[in-house]
């Protein structure tokens, strides 16, 4: 019996979820509605079936998510009968923080990062399970699957615990916590393939559709509600777009696309990759220049 | 070809194929100067893992920071982040991902300079194959030998030497063959099953993804082809079934499911199993899975994560191991055992300390009974010590607070690996590979002879051209061993030297191996417990066997108090080639009688 790479990634993620449930007193799963969260949620249900996952789900709502995300979230949680807690940084709301008035940096820091801290402290959670992947960006490539945070929620990259085999160290002292990343070893393509294989439903925003779009600073922004003011000269056009990643709508750029099915979305990713390979003649150039350098006395 | 998506193929065809891809986890080691980053950059680039925006950034970076005269410097793909270096995390393992039409790959990128032991061990614990970079100009280095040793210690069977910078040695076959021979010889000494050397240039791409034009004399596969074709080591499906219980699922009074990841072997509904360490037996009723997911499984294999239910209401909880009955055997259950440890903490390890030990899903307090030795990773010599420092590798005896179920690591990685957690700081202080169980009982002593005698270091490949027959003719003698045993003061050593002189005068080729003599060097690490005397005898017997094969007569003078150990010695040397004399017996032969007896036997 031959296991495929998706089988192995699935088994590994389930192992990690079960270790989290067994190893911590108060774990919580960060549910952010996107494709990675969809896979993570599916795996969490699978890991503890026929029981429900033995931890609550937490969404940090910045109040600027796409409306379709919120309705997808609420339907999903209702369908599965899960314990979802939504946290909004009320202090931020009182101060009127928004991506429009304060810019993306302040908005993200106040509504997301500080909101998360508030929620974790209020719930006294000693583990927060999230859907981050190591292939997302370079700084994640060295992060642990069970990633330690001190009392101030800080990550010290120089002081990470070695992680060997599947022997995870879940020990923390009072006030400290661990961020757990069961999807660490998944790539973006793996996520889509798994969604395809398991026939999981995702937020429709991932698929191409005519949407009200404003073009600003080279980004295609979907105007999801009246809070997004148009600048002089800007106008709303119906354009056929989809989103590769989802977040706060004023900060999420759409891409023009005709991919309105899962297969077409995957194809679009693959074709984009194929085109990158074309026209690279570097091999020949370099070996030629190296030959020349050697003749000129290189080493 | 390595393209992830071949033109002409429909998306659904691609998905069907890709979803069946196997996974291979491999590590790369070697210092930055060996071209490791360039090799990884080359693999990612040539298999299409780099997006347009990556490449654009890379072109700019190459002009500014590149070492390739403005041309694309692939090394910058993986080690170009200055911020990382400033944060001091380049000393850590980095994980990278790519896929081809045949396999998906996870790379554990292990930096070579600082912390190499810890990084290598960490990376190797997740991997089935290791690529070690060798600079063709420098050849096999101390570092190459360290990497190969750690790979072998962690049980990696496939070790690939990428002999890099072949362009800088004019693509010379002679130079490559020289390095290849030295590398393969060293791997053979370590018992690495499948070492391979490939001449490459990460810079030009020669023999990385595709075969190059500069090495027509190389008939082997390029690196990527090896990665795509090498047999993936999985916990073999026919191996003994083991599943450490992670979590008990009890949604209702009727359902009690035992969740875990299969560490080895396979399990079917109806199989008889044993719960360890309690030893209770039961039968698997279901491998439960939800209807939406396809319903119950009839069979599950490592490394699947499953839920089992049992026929009986057996006591079973997190930390227990579900193990097959019969077959090639149960897991061991003991409170004391011995393991090879990679020490990863700033503070020293000394005997008497206690830690939390995690094996499988069991966490239990464990005491360090003794540090036996530290291995010099450059020479492979064990050095007597009673402490281990950061990045040391050594052998340690443990005693756990409660009995635990485990297997020797060589047999089953999933139930033979451990970590130690510092009880104050919660740091992961060490990782270990269990060698043997309970060192204090007779069963384990026997296991010691058998398991430890099994070579981790193989004899050199090839055979002596001087046959046993030719040797016997030259020396005019039939080689035998005479084991003179008895307590101190029984006169065995004196008799051994009398016998040696007698045989010498008759013209025979003879040597004496005396227990005290061995302790001066070969067995310097051993104490005088029964167990360790037995180990001294085992070493002497191994030496005797080698000397007998050279046609020599061997006189062993040993305390050898245990009849069981003497029987094992006889087995090891070959009963027909050994004579046992108990020097403590009052009727044991005197020097003259002994000489006559032996002279008769060796004609």
């Amino acid at each position: 019996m031959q296991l495929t790479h998706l089988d192995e990634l699935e088994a590994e993620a389930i192992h990690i979820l079960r270790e989290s449930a067994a190893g911590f007193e108060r774990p919580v799963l960060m549910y952010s509605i996107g494709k990675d969260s969809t896979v993570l949620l599916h795996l969490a249900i699978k890991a503890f079936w026929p029981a429900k996952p033995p931890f609550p789900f937490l969404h940090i709502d910045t109040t600027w998510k796409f409306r379709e995300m919120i309705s997808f979230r609420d339907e999903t949680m209702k369908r599965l009968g899960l314990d979802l807690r939504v946290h909004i940084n009320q202090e931020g709301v009182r101060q009127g923080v928004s991506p429009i008035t304060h810019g993306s940096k302040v908005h993200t820091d106040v509504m997301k990062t500080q909101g998360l801290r508030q929620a974790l402290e209020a719930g006294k959670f000693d583990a927060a399970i999230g859907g981050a992947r190591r292939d997302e960006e370079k700084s994640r490539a060295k992060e642990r699957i069970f990633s330690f945070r001190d009392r101030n929620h800080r990550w010290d990259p120089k002081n990470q615990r070695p992680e060997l085999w599947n022997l995870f160290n879940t020990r923390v002292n009072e006030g400290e916590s661990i961020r757990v990343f069961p999807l660490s070893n998944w790539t973006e393509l793996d996520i889509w393939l798994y969604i395809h294989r398991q026939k999981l439903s995702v937020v429709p925003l991932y698929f191409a559709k005519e949407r009200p779009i404003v073009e600003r600073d080279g980004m295609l922004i979907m105007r999801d509600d009246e809070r997004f003011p148009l600048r002089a000269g800007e106008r709303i056009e119906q354009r056929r777009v989809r989103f590769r990643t989802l977040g706060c709508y004023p900060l999420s750029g759409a891409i023009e696309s005709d991919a309105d099915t899962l297969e077409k979305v995957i194809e679009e990713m693959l074709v984009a990759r194929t085109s990158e390979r074309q026209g690279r003649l570097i091999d020949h150039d370099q070996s030629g220049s190296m030959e020349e350098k050697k003749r000129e006395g290189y080493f | 070809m390595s393209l992830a998506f071949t033109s002409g193929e429909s998306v659904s065809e691609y998905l069907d194929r890709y979803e069946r891809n196997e996974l291979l986890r491999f590590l790369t080691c070697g210092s930055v100067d060996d071209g490791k980053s360039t090799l990884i950059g080359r693999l990612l680039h040539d298999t299409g893992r780099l997006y347009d925006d990556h490449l654009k950034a890379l072109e700019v970076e190459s002009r500014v920071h590149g070492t390739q005269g403005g041309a694309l410097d692939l090394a910058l793909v993986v080690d170009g982040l200055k911020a990382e270096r400033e944060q001091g995390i380049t000393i850590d393992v980095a994980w990278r991902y790519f896929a081809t039409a045949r396999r998906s790959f996870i790379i554990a990128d292990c930096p070579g300079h600082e912390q190499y032991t810890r990084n290598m061990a960490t990376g190797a614990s997740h991997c089935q194959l290791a690529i070690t970079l060798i600079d063709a100009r420098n050849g096999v280095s101390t570092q190459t030998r360290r990497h190969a040793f750690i790979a072998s210690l962690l049980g990696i069977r496939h070790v690939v030497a990428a002999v890099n910078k072949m362009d800088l040695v004019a693509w010379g076959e002679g130079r490559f063959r020289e390095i290849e021979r030295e590398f393969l010889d060293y791997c053979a000494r370590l018992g690495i099953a499948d070492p391979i050397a490939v001449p490459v240039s990460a810079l030009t791409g020669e023999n990385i993804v595709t075969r190059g034009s500069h090495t027509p004399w190389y008939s082997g596969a390029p690196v990527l082809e090896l990665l795509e074709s090498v047999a993936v080591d999985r916990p073999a499906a026919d191996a003994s079934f083991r599943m450490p219980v992670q979590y008990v699922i009890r949604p209702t009074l009727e359902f009690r499911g035992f969740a875990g990841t299969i560490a080895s072997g396979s399990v079917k509904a109806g199989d008889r199993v044993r719960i360890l360490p309690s030893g209770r037996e039961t039968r698997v009723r279901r491998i439960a899975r939800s209807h939406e997911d396809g319903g119950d499984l009839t069979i599950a294999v490592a490394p699947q994560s499953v839920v089992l239910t049992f026929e009986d209401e057996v006591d079973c909880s997190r930390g227990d191991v579900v193990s097959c009955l019969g077959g090639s055997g149960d897991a061991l259950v003991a409170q004391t055992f011995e393991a090879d440890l990679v020490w990863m903490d700033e503070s020293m390890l000394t005997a008497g300390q206690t830690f939390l030990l995690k094996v499988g899903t069991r966490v239990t307090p464990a005491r360090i009974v003794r540090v036996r030795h530290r291995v010099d990773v450059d020479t492979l010599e064990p050095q007597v010590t009673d402490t281990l420092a950061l990045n040391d590798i050594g052998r340690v005896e443990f005693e756990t607070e409660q009995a635990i179920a485990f297997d020797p690591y060589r047999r089953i990685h999933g139930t033979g690996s451990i970590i130690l957690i510092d009880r104050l700081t919660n740091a992961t202080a060490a990782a270990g590979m269990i060698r043997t169980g309970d060192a204090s009982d007779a069963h384990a002593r026997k296991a010691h002879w058998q398991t430890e005698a099994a070579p981790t270091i193989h004899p050199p490949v090839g055979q002596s051209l001087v046959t046993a027959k030719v040797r016997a003719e030259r020396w005019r003698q039939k080689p035998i061993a005479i084991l003179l045993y008895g307590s101190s003061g029984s006169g065995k050593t004196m008799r051994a030297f009398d016998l040696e002189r007698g045989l010498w005068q008759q013209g025979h080729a003879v040597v004496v191996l005396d227990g005290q003599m061995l302790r001066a060097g070969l067995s310097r690490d051993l104490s005088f417990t029964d167990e360790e005397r037995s180990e001294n005898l085992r070493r002497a017997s191994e030496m005797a066997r080698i000397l007998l094969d050279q046609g020599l007569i061997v006189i062993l003078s040993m305390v050898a108090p245990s009849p069981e150990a003497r029987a094992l010695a006889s087995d090891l040397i070959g009963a027909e080639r050994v004579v046992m004399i108990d020097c403590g017996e009052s009727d044991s032969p005197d020097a003259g009688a002994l000489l006559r007896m032996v002279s008769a036997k060796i004609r």
Side-chain angles (χ1 to χ4, degrees):
Chain A
M1 188 169 155
Q2 178 62 58
L3 298 187
T4 68
H5 80 288
L6 287 179
D7 293 333
E8 283 202 39
L9 292 174
E10 178 190 68
E12 178 183 84
I14 289 175
H15 180 89
I16 293 161
L17 285 162
R18 288 171 176 166
E19 283 302 281
S20 308
F24 297 103
E25 274 174 37
R26 296 176 66 83
V28 64
L29 190 145
M30 309 301 302
Y31 178 72
S32 59
I33 316 170
K35 60 185 192 305
D36 302 309
S37 275
T38 296
V39 169
L40 190 59
L41 170 63
H42 174 80
L43 292 167
I45 288 170
K46 196 166 172 164
F48 302 99
W49 180 90
K52 295 221 168 112
F55 39 70
F57 292 73
L58 176 64
H59 179 226
I60 306 300
D61 191 348
T62 61
T63 72
W64 287 88
K65 301 295 175 189
F66 290 92
R67 283 175 297 165
E68 276 184 90
M69 289 174 74
I70 301 300
S71 56
F72 181 88
R73 176 194 76 188
D74 294 343
E75 279 163 28
T76 304
M77 289 294 150
K78 196 175 160 202
R79 175 167 52 85
L80 298 169
L82 296 174
D83 173 12
L84 175 74
R85 303 174 188 187
V86 177
H87 180 84
I88 296 174
N89 182 353
Q90 295 300 344
E91 208 183 306
V93 172
R94 263 195 305 279
Q95 291 168 358
V97 171
S98 85
I100 314 282
T101 49
H102 294 76
S104 67
K105 195 169 173 292
V106 172
H107 169 72
T108 307
D109 180 57
V110 173
M111 298 308 290
K112 265 180 97 172
T113 312
Q114 290 186 32
L116 174 63
R117 271 183 73 152
Q118 290 168 353
L120 292 180
E121 281 168 13
K124 292 195 169 12
F125 297 117
D126 54 357
I129 305 162
R133 292 175 282 108
R134 281 176 179 148
D135 86 327
E136 278 177 70
E137 51 153 345
K138 279 187 182 180
S139 69
R140 286 205 197 277
K142 298 177 183 193
E143 182 150 8
R144 301 295 187 261
I145 291 174
F146 284 71
S147 187
F148 179 79
R149 296 290 186 279
D150 67 15
R151 283 184 173 76
N152 298 312
H153 303 268
R154 273 196 295 257
W155 180 53
D156 180 1
K158 285 183 219 166
N159 193 19
Q160 300 197 77
R161 296 173 178 177
E163 253 173 15
L164 295 97
W165 302 287
N166 59 7
L167 297 175
F168 298 108
N169 178 351
T170 57
R171 311 269 310 175
V172 288
N173 289 325
E174 182 80 31
E176 299 167 343
S177 64
I178 304 257
R179 299 279 164 89
V180 185
F181 304 112
L183 305 180
S184 286
N185 284 324
W186 297 53
T187 63
E188 188 185 3
L189 182 58
D190 295 330
I191 293 288
W192 282 118
L193 291 170
Y194 189 75
I195 288 170
H196 178 261
R197 188 179 89 168
Q198 304 296 127
K199 302 185 174 58
L200 307 180
S201 56
V202 291
V203 184
L205 292 161
Y206 286 114
F207 303 117
K209 198 180 139 186
E210 301 276 324
R211 294 188 168 97
I213 295 297
V214 178
E215 193 167 342
R216 179 178 292 180
D217 304 331
M219 286 223 309
L220 303 182
I221 305 295
M222 174 173 154
R223 191 171 186 242
D224 201 34
D225 57 34
E226 302 305 314
R227 290 180 293 172
F228 191 86
L230 296 184
R231 291 177 191 164
E234 283 181 344
R235 59 187 187 87
I236 292 169
E237 299 169 282
Q238 289 295 317
R239 284 166 81 166
R240 197 166 168 77
V241 296
R242 66 179 192 90
F243 294 86
R244 217 172 140 173
T245 56
L246 297 178
C248 297
Y249 82 80
L251 304 174
S252 302
I255 51 170
E256 285 192 285
S257 165
D258 277 324
D260 53 3
T261 65
L262 196 48
E263 295 205 345
K264 285 182 189 166
V265 166
I266 296 172
E267 183 176 18
E268 211 171 75
M269 279 181 69
L270 294 168
V271 169
R273 227 162 247 181
T274 310
S275 72
E276 283 164 14
R277 251 190 310 273
Q278 292 169 352
R280 299 250 142 253
L281 296 168
I282 179 169
D283 297 12
H284 313 288
D285 292 352
Q286 275 191 348
S287 84
S289 64
M290 183 53 68
E291 276 298 305
E292 277 166 29
K293 276 187 189 161
K294 276 166 68 187
R295 274 197 294 273
E296 289 160 14
Y298 180 75
F299 286 104
Chain B
M1 263 314 283
S2 62
L3 300 184
F5 184 50
T6 34
S7 52
E9 185 182 38
S10 79
V11 184
S12 53
E13 280 167 350
Y14 171 84
L15 294 178
D16 282 352
R17 182 168 55 70
Y18 187 89
E19 282 171 8
R20 286 197 302 272
N21 252 12
E22 274 187 311
L23 181 64
L24 180 81
R25 299 178 201 235
F26 69 94
L27 70 90
T28 53
C29 51
S31 67
V32 179
D33 307 336
D34 290 337
K36 179 172 63 70
S37 299
T38 311
L39 177 95
I40 295 172
R42 173 62 64 186
L43 279 171
L44 298 181
H45 176 267
D46 289 8
T47 55
R49 266 301 292 177
L50 304 181
Y51 291 108
D52 281 341
D53 45 338
H54 286 161
L55 283 171
K56 280 211 188 77
L58 192 59
E59 280 165 24
V60 175
E61 266 187 273
S62 297
R63 279 195 291 274
V64 182
H65 303 291
T67 56
Q68 304 308 323
L72 204 59
D73 186 352
L74 290 172
L76 295 175
V77 174
V78 285
D79 64 5
L81 267 195
K82 259 190 279 170
E84 278 186 57
R85 205 166 280 169
E86 281 155 14
Q87 284 179 54
I89 51 173
T90 48
I91 57 166
D92 225 297
V93 179
W95 300 89
R96 322 208 179 266
Y97 306 84
F98 73 102
T100 70
R102 290 161 72 181
R103 274 186 180 165
S104 295
F105 299 97
I106 299 179
I107 312 178
D109 179 9
C110 306
H113 283 319
E114 289 177 83
Q115 301 274 6
Y116 72 89
T117 303
R118 170 178 150 160
N119 287 329
M120 262 291 290
T122 300
S125 77
H126 297 279
C127 291
Q128 298 129 332
L129 179 146
I131 298 179
T132 175
L133 269 288
I134 297 176
D135 186 326
R137 295 167 302 174
N138 305 331
V140 172
S141 63
T142 301
Q143 193 172 267
T144 312
R145 283 188 281 269
R146 289 171 179 175
H147 292 155
F149 170 64
I150 296 167
S152 75
L153 189 74
L154 272 288
I156 291 190
R157 297 164 51 82
H158 310 285
V159 181
V160 176
V163 181
N164 193 23
K165 306 194 186 180
M166 286 300 295
D167 52 327
L168 299 185
V169 293
W171 309 103
E173 180 179 8
R175 180 64 184 142
F176 172 72
R177 295 296 174 205
E178 193 184 327
I179 295 168
E180 179 184 41
R181 198 175 317 115
E182 193 179 345
F183 175 72
L184 297 186
D185 283 353
Y186 195 75
C187 287
R189 275 184 66 196
L190 292 167
I192 292 171
D194 186 17
I196 301 166
V198 187
V200 305
S201 167
L203 193 65
T204 71
E206 179 100 0
N207 293 332
I208 305 286
V209 169
T210 50
R211 216 171 286 276
S213 54
H214 295 98
T215 50
W217 41 264
Y218 174 68
S219 58
V223 172
L224 184 65
E225 200 179 312
L226 289 173
L227 294 173
E228 286 184 316
S229 62
V230 76
V232 177
D233 296 325
R234 286 274 141 54
D238 57 351
S240 305
F241 171 68
R242 302 279 188 270
M243 189 192 88
V245 175
Q246 263 191 300
Y247 196 85
V248 183
I249 299 175
R250 304 195 69 168
T252 59
L253 287 174
E254 293 79 50
F255 188 95
R256 217 155 63 104
F258 299 91
T261 303
I262 300 175
S264 134
S266 63
V267 66
K268 293 191 298 295
D271 278 0
R272 289 201 67 76
V273 290
R274 200 196 302 277
I275 313 298
L276 296 172
S278 74
R280 287 188 188 84
E281 291 179 20
T282 183
R283 205 180 274 279
V284 175
R285 179 183 288 168
R286 296 173 59 191
I287 308 169
R289 199 171 61 163
S290 79
H291 183 66
E292 302 88 80
D293 240 348
D296 283 6
L297 294 161
T298 48
I299 183 169
V301 301
Q304 278 180 297
S305 289
V306 294
V307 181
L308 305 181
T309 67
F310 297 137
E311 291 289 350
D312 311 288
E313 285 247 338
V314 285
D315 196 8
C316 180
S317 54
R318 176 172 166 88
D320 289 344
V321 175
V322 186
S323 169
C324 59
L325 264 180
S328 43
D330 268 338
L332 302 169
V333 174
Q335 272 181 276
T336 58
F337 62 88
E338 203 177 272
D340 286 325
L341 217 56
V342 179
W343 189 250
M344 299 174 159
D345 205 75
E346 297 286 345
S347 61
M348 295 270 251
L349 170 82
T350 56
Q353 289 175 326
T354 59
F355 295 88
L356 290 174
L357 178 142
K358 187 170 186 183
V359 54
T361 52
R362 169 87 64 205
V363 178
T364 180
R367 189 173 65 90
I368 306 295
V369 178
R370 196 155 72 106
V371 179
R372 288 174 69 101
H373 63 243
R374 171 177 56 223
V375 178
D376 179 328
V377 292
D378 297 335
T379 62
L380 305 183
E381 298 278 335
Q383 301 163 331
V384 178
T385 179
D386 44 21
T387 60
L388 293 180
L390 182 63
N391 285 315
D392 276 352
I393 293 172
R395 190 161 304 163
V396 171
E397 284 173 29
F398 286 93
E399 184 174 6
T400 52
E401 202 170 276
Q402 50 180 246
I404 57 167
F406 59 86
D407 290 280
Y409 182 78
R410 248 169 357 118
R411 197 157 163 248
I412 300 178
H413 288 195
T415 43
S417 47
I418 57 172
I419 57 167
L420 297 184
I421 300 168
D422 187 296
R423 298 215 285 186
L424 279 181
T425 65
N426 290 325
T428 304
M433 286 70 56
I434 299 178
R435 291 179 60 86
T436 56
D438 202 339
S440 66
D441 71 14
H443 168 75
R445 195 156 58 234
K446 193 171 164 198
H448 186 73
W449 281 74
Q450 285 165 350
T451 344
E452 299 228 338
T456 46
I457 294 179
H458 286 306
V461 184
Q463 246 183 332
S464 171
L465 300 174
V466 186
T467 62
K469 185 165 173 285
V470 173
R471 288 176 198 276
E473 282 167 16
R474 161 75 60 88
W475 305 119
R476 293 198 190 90
Q477 64 189 24
K478 194 175 96 189
I480 62 165
I482 303 99
L483 172 57
L484 304 168
Y485 65 93
S487 52
S488 304
S490 57
K492 57 186 184 304
T493 303
M494 199 189 295
R495 266 189 261 192
F497 288 122
D498 281 347
L499 179 60
E500 181 189 37
R501 191 183 52 192
L503 291 168
W504 180 261
Q505 283 169 349
Q506 291 177 9
H508 291 294
V510 57
V511 292
V512 171
L513 295 178
D514 176 76
Q516 287 305 316
M517 212 154 80
L518 297 182
R519 284 178 180 280
L522 185 64
S523 294
R524 194 164 44 197
D525 56 320
L526 298 179
S527 67
F528 293 89
T529 61
D530 280 4
E531 182 211 341
E532 308 244 304
R533 285 190 196 283
S534 155
E535 170 61 11
N536 199 26
L537 177 61
R538 189 189 66 80
R539 293 180 193 180
S541 306
E542 286 281 5
M543 273 190 72
R545 189 168 69 162
I546 293 168
L547 295 173
L548 287 173
D549 291 342
Q550 314 299 318
L552 301 176
I553 292 162
V554 183
I555 303 167
L556 295 141
S557 160
M558 310 289 294
V559 177
S562 147
E564 199 196 1
R566 291 198 299 272
L568 287 165
S570 170
D571 285 350
L572 188 58
I573 298 169
E576 73 293 345
R577 299 203 294 182
V578 63
V579 180
M580 301 262 186
I581 307 287
D582 182 354
C583 296
E585 290 289 314
S586 53
D587 60 348
S588 65
D590 63 18
L594 193 57
L595 181 60
R596 284 192 296 280
M597 191 181 102
V598 173
S599 304
K601 279 191 183 289
I602 59 179
R603 280 198 201 102

